Amino acid sequence: MSVTLSPAFTTRRVALAAVAALALAGPLASTVARAADAAAPDQLIKQVSTEVIDTVKADKAIQAGDVSRIIALVDTKVMPHVNFQRMTASAVGRHWRTATPDQQQKLQNEFKVLLVRTYSGALTQVKDQTVQLKPFRAAPTDTEVVVRTEVKGKGEPIQLDYRLEKADAGWKIYDVNVMGVWLVEQYKTSFAQEIGAVGVDGLIGKLAEKNKAAAAAAPAAKG
């Protein structure tokens, strides 16, 4: 039986998941990036997610679905603010602990490309959205928090929440909730099924296969 490796989001969820996947991007200068790292978690989300919306609106290549440009944007602007190792490890579950360092790195690489490719097409739907923070409550000693936001535009507001952890370099995102669905949990089930059937290497191969197929289909989709 074939295992589906992408979440069963509706079209609208996919659209907002794209904003979630890139919600920490933006054309920030290094001094601004350092200030963002030191910011309170809710202000970090507000500041930089607003930047990404403005960036997407102004970037015709991203609006056209240029995956290479989106990946470059993620590498340079998003990853410094995300604990992607924790995100991948949580999605893989208990099998992460027995995977070799090489397998862990390959899982991270393929998972990142899968997420970017899954949601890149939805970036064309970013038009007039703004981000509004919901009331945030956390103690100064908290090392893990949830920042809740709404993305507002035409239609009903869309729930977009973030789980963050406090690290030496500042607050880092490790999971995203789109309209009540946590990203890591959505992948955890399908990853566990795949590993149970064909092992960690089989999951890596499946992810790589899907990514290659998506890359091959991309030029045809633009035409």
Side-chain angles (χ1 to χ4, degrees):
M1 180 177 67
S2 174
V3 176
T4 300
L5 295 178
S6 58
F9 289 135
T10 63
T11 300
R12 194 158 178 262
R13 285 181 177 178
V14 169
L16 270 297
V19 179
L22 295 176
L24 288 183
L28 302 177
S30 59
T31 54
V32 177
R34 285 195 295 270
D37 284 339
D42 58 333
Q43 293 306 312
L44 172 66
I45 295 296
K46 173 65 175 178
Q47 173 185 326
V48 194
S49 59
T50 298
E51 290 277 354
V52 72
I53 289 175
D54 291 342
T55 300
V56 172
K57 289 177 183 176
D59 193 318
K60 295 186 183 301
I62 290 178
Q63 292 174 13
D66 187 331
V67 175
S68 63
R69 186 168 179 82
I70 295 169
I71 291 175
L73 181 64
V74 170
D75 284 337
T76 58
K77 302 298 183 182
V78 178
M79 287 302 153
H81 298 282
V82 178
N83 185 343
F84 198 70
Q85 177 175 314
R86 178 172 177 175
M87 183 180 287
T88 308
S90 297
V92 173
R94 62 184 177 85
H95 300 284
W96 179 264
R97 296 190 298 272
T98 57
T100 67
D102 180 63
Q103 287 174 323
Q104 291 177 351
Q105 189 59 55
K106 287 178 179 177
L107 283 167
Q108 288 187 70
N109 294 344
E110 298 296 345
F111 189 32
K112 182 185 75 174
V113 175
L114 176 69
L115 291 179
V116 172
R117 288 197 176 276
T118 298
Y119 303 126
S120 61
L123 288 175
T124 58
Q125 299 186 37
V126 175
K127 304 296 182 185
D128 60 350
Q129 285 84 356
T130 60
V131 177
Q132 180 174 317
L133 292 175
K134 291 185 176 181
F136 175 71
R137 296 178 181 85
T141 55
D142 287 346
T143 57
E144 296 200 4
V145 299
V146 175
V147 175
R148 305 185 188 281
T149 76
E150 284 185 339
V151 179
K152 294 189 173 183
K154 294 181 179 179
E156 292 295 318
I158 297 168
Q159 174 189 347
L160 190 58
D161 304 333
Y162 302 84
R163 283 179 174 150
L164 298 94
E165 64 175 6
K166 193 172 187 179
D168 292 340
W171 289 94
K172 306 289 184 182
I173 288 179
Y174 65 90
D175 203 357
V176 180
N177 181 336
V178 184
M179 296 176 67
V181 180
W182 286 102
L183 182 69
V184 166
E185 288 302 314
Q186 277 288 69
Y187 280 100
K188 191 171 184 177
T189 299
S190 58
F191 281 10
Q193 290 174 342
E194 191 71 20
I195 292 172
V198 293
V200 172
D201 283 332
L203 173 61
I204 294 170
K206 187 72 172 181
L207 292 171
E209 178 185 325
K210 289 179 71 70
N211 289 334
K212 288 178 182 177
K222 290 181 180 180

